[in-house]
Amino acid sequence: MDPMEALVAQIQGLSSTPGDIARLHIILKQADDSLRAESTRLSPVLGQLAPSEHSLGFLYVLDAFTSGQISKQQAETSVPIITGFINACNAEQIRLAPEKFVLVCKRLKDQVMMLEAPIRGVGPLLTAARKLQLSTEHLTPLHSDFLMLCVLAKCYKTGLSILEDDIFEVDQPRDLFLYCYYGGMICIGLKRFQKALDLLHNVVTAPMSTLNAIAVEAYKKYILVSLIHHGQLSTSLPKYASSVAQRSLKNFCQPYIELANSYGTEKIAELEAYVQTNTEKFENDNNLGLVKQVVLSMYKRNIQRLTQTYLTLSLQDIANTVQLNSPKEAEMHVLQMIQDGEIYATINQRDGMVRFLEDPEQYKTCEMIENIDSSIQRIMALSRKLSAMDEQISCDQLYLSKVGRERQRYDFDDFDVPTKFNI
Amino acid sequence: MDADDESSNPMIDEIYANGGSAEGGGGEKRSRRLIISGDQFDIEAYASLYSGRTKIARLLFIADHCGGDNSAMQLEALRMAFDEIKKGENTQLFREVVNKIGGRLGPDYTMDVAWCEAVDRRAEQKKEKLDNELNAYRTNLIKESIRMGYNDFGDFYYAHGQLGEAFKSYVRTRDYCTTSKHIIHMCMSAILVSIEMGQFTHVASYVSKAEQTHEALDQITAAKLRCAAGLANLVSKKYKLAARKFLETAPELGSHYNEVIAPQDVATYGGLCALATFDRTELKASTLTMIMLLNDDCEISFVFLILILYLQAKVIDNINFRNFLELVPEVRELINDFYSSHYASCLEYLANLKANLLLDIHLHDHVETLYDQIRHKALIQYTLPFVSVDLQMMASAFKTTITGLEKELVALITDNQIQARVDSHNKILYARHADQRNATFQRVLETGRVFDRDVRSMLLRTNLIKYDYNARSLSRKL
């Protein structure tokens, strides 16, 4: 194809300097439609281009190549191509055409889902997300897709690595919701309930003008994790949550709110009965596992309360107080809790006694000092960021125009607000 | 007669084994001292303390609550009530009492229809007369006479048991009161009727009204007002305030307020409420100091002499309350025991008094609560000075089982009233003091984490809002 060959030649020729690349970009944009028309005949073209040097061109060709319906066998061939491209591509070049890149990656995601091997997409998408990010604080649409694949493939640890970054800049609110929701699920899977709670809290309290399904699902999980981690649920959302959320979220999560109420009565039999009657509802939301953990956490909380009042206690007494069936069960529970680090105790099997110990943490070690020091540094950095943002907004044009309109006009001490700020 | 007659026994054993002393035999004067209980409740003596409507009300209450197996007491109470009512003019109550007696007391104590009718007729006539008089006064617009007229009406209704009307009439005199004496008179009448009606909110408000008058109140009226205020607080479960009010009552009250309360009641209510709610210093200051002074023992009185010099202001009050406490030696003894940590005998006195207190019209609702509070305070006070306590000894000191005691202690620990932990294996209670340093570290780390999380979410939300705003203003510009 002559136009194709010409295009390939241009790509190969103009991919070296930034000035050339800018020109190439314009040419590619003009050639986009023609590329799409030739989508079926583009595989040899791909072979001629090197992903690492000709990333931009490769991207456009790849985009045209993968547009349109793809069957399973075609997916088999195209997945490695895309994967190879992502791994090899040049970050600056692809940042010139982020939407195309995102589109390609989304197609990759669809294809691996179609092939029912989500794990094949985990690695590439991680690399892709990192390359697309302008900084570690930037959230791309790829993050949520990546996390979704992690959840499906059960690669929680990989997902966690990206969750460790703090996010401050967001392109699309929807990305954030999905990111936080999937991130919450990953943290629940890794039993890091505090982080999960933070992420889900972000979804639930994010500014939104209308209620969306992601927020509803997130709130359901938020209730359950809150019960597991804190043993209680605060009944009202904080003031900064959107009014839509405050009004209507509860209506969609009725069974969960009742579960929380039942938990509050501290009667295990009632809680279990309630779970029994509503098993179906919880199962439909895929939350049954979490609900079972909630019931388990009630036993744990009761045992923890015992550590406050007793120094030693027989297993039989523990079983009676916590309403377990036998001392053996009590022993299992206590053992599990000791292993998880939730209580400090020793079990004396001969006497059937448990001896509760104090938290051995004395806050005197070097690690603790380092921990505190790094927290201090982190918080100082955060404060600086906060002040920087405050200054930035004070200088923002839109803000000033709004404030300028509402200011007193008879304040002789101040300068008049220039008219260009009065819309 | 007190603590250190048994100077042969070492002081330490004394504290641990105060419950077991009963079996100890030996020269323990304490065990031989008769616990004067009120279990043979003398209705006549009790009723003679009161006069007027409250006497009838109390007798009826006793009759209702003294329990089915005590019909002798019930009949006695009903008989005395009958006699008392016949002296008055309340036919409604008369009918009630006759129904309750049900003919069990013989022909003298049955329905006297003739008497009822006579009384009712007299009442009608009196009412008409009063009405006419009042109307005459109203047309003449003489304030004083109108006030007297309403007062008479109030008295009339009160005598006939129409308490609501009586209250209204008394309150109407307010507009025609000219001197503080009038106001005080109105308040006292209103208080009396409110107490009978059981509306203690009114009692409280009228007490404060009476205390706000410009003239200084005379001792007796002031004492009456204090009693009424104490009663109001007691009924609304504000035990500490009730105790304070009762303790402030001057002994000049004597039997002047018998239509409401007897001085024995002041002592009992005040003593029990104080025991249940005051801490040790307050208890000592308000009730015990002067009692201790009566000791023959030099040591104790020397110590307290020093304290008295500090508590000069409270001494005057002490004398007052001491006078009251003399009237109810059981309550005095039990406060004494509590303060000197002889819990077993203290609780024994309480148990003995309980039956009679349940027959008291104002206190019966609160007996359980007050007793629980006193018991809890005893438990807490026992464990306070020790680092470790053997539950065995403590159980015998309180004359209870180890398991029962353990349950009570666990409840108190969970409530954060005792800082200790139970070694259930060896049955020992260990005092436990929270480690401030660790707690501070934990709090600091937690605060840091919370700040971190909150600021990050805030920055995120700001970005979202900014994005949203930009998007909207962009769409507006388009």
Side-chain angles (χ1 to χ4, degrees), chain A residues 88-368:
Chain A
C89 68
N90 183 318
E92 283 117 29
Q93 289 197 22
I94 52 167
R95 283 194 201 135
L96 294 171
E99 313 84 27
K100 284 225 181 285
F101 189 65
V102 169
L103 219 50
V104 167
C105 293
K106 279 204 194 294
R107 290 204 196 109
L108 172 67
K109 178 197 80 169
D110 295 331
Q111 285 168 13
V112 297
M113 300 266 283
M114 201 183 347
L115 292 173
E116 288 168 21
I119 198 163
R120 288 173 70 171
V122 170
L125 273 187
L126 178 58
T127 335
R130 288 249 179 264
K131 286 195 179 166
L132 190 57
Q133 270 185 324
L134 294 168
S135 71
T136 50
E137 296 173 355
H138 182 219
L139 184 76
T140 63
L142 296 176
H143 281 77
S144 44
D145 288 334
F146 164 66
L147 286 177
M148 189 181 81
L149 285 180
C150 285
V151 171
L152 287 171
K154 302 215 192 303
C155 302
Y156 296 139
K157 289 226 170 62
T158 343
L160 197 61
S161 61
I162 227 179
L163 286 171
E164 297 292 347
D165 300 331
D166 300 329
I167 299 290
F168 293 120
E169 288 168 46
V170 175
D171 285 335
Q172 276 267 12
R174 187 165 171 276
D175 294 333
L176 179 70
F177 292 155
L178 283 173
Y179 170 82
C180 287
Y181 179 65
Y182 291 132
M185 286 175 72
I186 289 181
C187 290
I188 293 174
L190 288 172
K191 296 225 190 301
R192 291 188 47 171
F193 292 117
Q194 184 57 59
K195 198 165 170 65
L197 215 54
D198 292 343
L199 285 165
L200 292 170
H201 187 81
N202 276 341
V203 185
V204 169
T205 56
M208 50 181 131
S209 47
T210 54
L211 207 51
N212 57 50
I214 308 174
V216 173
E217 293 302 314
Y219 191 57
K220 291 179 186 168
K221 291 206 164 49
Y222 178 77
I223 295 176
L224 293 174
V225 176
S226 174
L227 286 177
I228 295 177
H229 190 70
H230 287 305
Q232 59 185 0
L233 175 71
S234 61
T235 44
S236 59
L237 292 172
K239 275 197 290 189
Y240 47 78
S242 65
S243 52
V244 185
Q246 281 180 359
R247 272 201 308 266
S248 1
L249 261 183
K250 296 213 182 111
N251 302 340
F252 290 96
C253 307
Q254 215 31 51
Y256 295 85
I257 308 243
E258 277 166 33
L259 183 71
N261 291 339
S262 168
Y263 191 96
T265 60
E266 292 183 20
K267 294 203 179 61
I268 296 190
E270 265 185 44
L271 187 66
E272 285 184 340
Y274 184 80
V275 171
Q276 277 298 103
T277 45
N278 289 312
T279 314
E280 222 184 272
K281 284 189 219 159
F282 294 137
E283 212 160 341
N284 286 341
D285 293 330
N286 289 328
N287 281 333
L288 193 58
L290 259 186
V291 172
K292 294 214 168 92
Q293 284 196 36
V294 168
V295 178
L296 210 63
S297 79
M298 185 164 226
Y299 288 112
K300 289 191 189 167
R301 214 159 289 286
N302 287 344
I303 296 181
Q304 270 173 339
R305 235 195 304 258
L306 288 175
T307 62
Q308 294 303 314
T309 47
Y310 287 95
L311 209 48
T312 63
L313 193 57
S314 71
L315 286 169
Q316 180 64 47
D317 283 331
I318 294 182
N320 291 341
T321 330
V322 182
Q323 295 158 39
L324 287 167
N325 291 332
S326 70
K328 262 286 157 218
E329 260 190 56
E331 194 180 330
M332 294 308 304
H333 276 270
V334 175
L335 195 58
Q336 188 63 40
M337 284 175 80
I338 298 178
Q339 281 177 342
D340 289 338
E342 288 163 2
I343 59 174
Y344 303 98
T346 52
I347 303 181
N348 182 336
Q349 282 194 325
R350 190 167 45 101
D351 297 331
M353 281 279 165
V354 178
R355 186 177 191 85
F356 296 117
L357 308 163
E358 293 281 351
D359 182 357
E361 177 62 66
Q362 284 294 316
Y363 300 97
K364 287 183 186 155
T365 58
C366 286
E367 290 90 45
M368 183 50 70

Side-chain angles (χ1 to χ4, degrees), chain A residues 166-173 176-177 180 194-195 198 201-202 205-207 240 305 307-314 317 351 353 355-359 361-364 368 371-372 375 378-379 382-383 385-386 389 392-393 396 398 402, chain B residues 406-407 409-411 413-415 420-430 432-433 435 437-439 441-449 451-470 473 476-477:
Chain A
D166 300 329
I167 299 290
F168 293 120
E169 288 168 46
V170 175
D171 285 335
Q172 276 267 12
L176 179 70
F177 292 155
C180 287
Q194 184 57 59
K195 198 165 170 65
D198 292 343
H201 187 81
N202 276 341
T205 56
Y240 47 78
R305 235 195 304 258
T307 62
Q308 294 303 314
T309 47
Y310 287 95
L311 209 48
T312 63
L313 193 57
S314 71
D317 283 331
D351 297 331
M353 281 279 165
R355 186 177 191 85
F356 296 117
L357 308 163
E358 293 281 351
D359 182 357
E361 177 62 66
Q362 284 294 316
Y363 300 97
K364 287 183 186 155
M368 183 50 70
N371 194 351
I372 297 181
S375 296
R378 192 182 152 80
I379 291 182
L382 213 55
S383 296
K385 203 175 173 62
L386 193 58
M389 179 162 256
Q392 195 192 29
I393 292 191
D396 188 81
L398 286 170
K402 193 155 206 280
Chain B
E406 201 177 316
K407 281 206 183 65
L409 285 173
V410 166
I413 295 174
T414 326
D415 243 356
R421 303 233 302 231
V422 175
D423 180 344
S424 183
H425 190 192
N426 302 323
K427 301 296 176 200
I428 301 184
L429 184 78
Y430 287 102
R432 171 226 212 180
H433 300 287
D435 189 339
R437 186 176 169 279
N438 280 358
F441 267 99
Q442 275 174 339
R443 257 202 320 271
V444 164
L445 287 172
E446 182 64 22
T447 314
R449 202 192 58 77
F451 179 81
D452 187 45
R453 179 198 69 191
D454 284 343
V455 172
R456 270 188 292 126
S457 334
M458 270 198 278
L459 287 172
L460 187 59
R461 272 195 301 278
T462 319
N463 262 316
L464 282 175
I465 296 178
K466 197 160 75 154
Y467 169 85
D468 202 29
Y469 193 74
N470 283 337
S473 59
R476 235 186 292 141
K477 282 193 185 145

Side-chain angles (χ1 to χ4, degrees), chain B residues 308-359:
Chain B
I308 286 161
L309 292 173
Y310 286 141
L311 301 167
Q312 197 66 23
K314 300 267 191 181
V315 168
I316 302 167
D317 295 331
N318 293 334
I319 306 182
N320 293 345
F321 203 65
R322 178 182 45 115
N323 289 335
F324 280 117
L325 278 179
E326 291 300 322
L327 298 167
V328 271
E330 303 98 69
V331 177
R332 187 196 63 208
E333 283 312 312
L334 91 89
I335 296 183
N336 210 352
D337 279 340
F338 185 90
Y339 192 73
S340 49
S341 306
H342 292 102
Y343 301 111
S345 62
C346 169
L347 291 174
E348 224 178 293
Y349 273 122
L350 274 180
N352 286 330
L353 282 178
K354 188 167 180 178
N356 297 336
L357 291 178
L358 281 173
L359 290 175

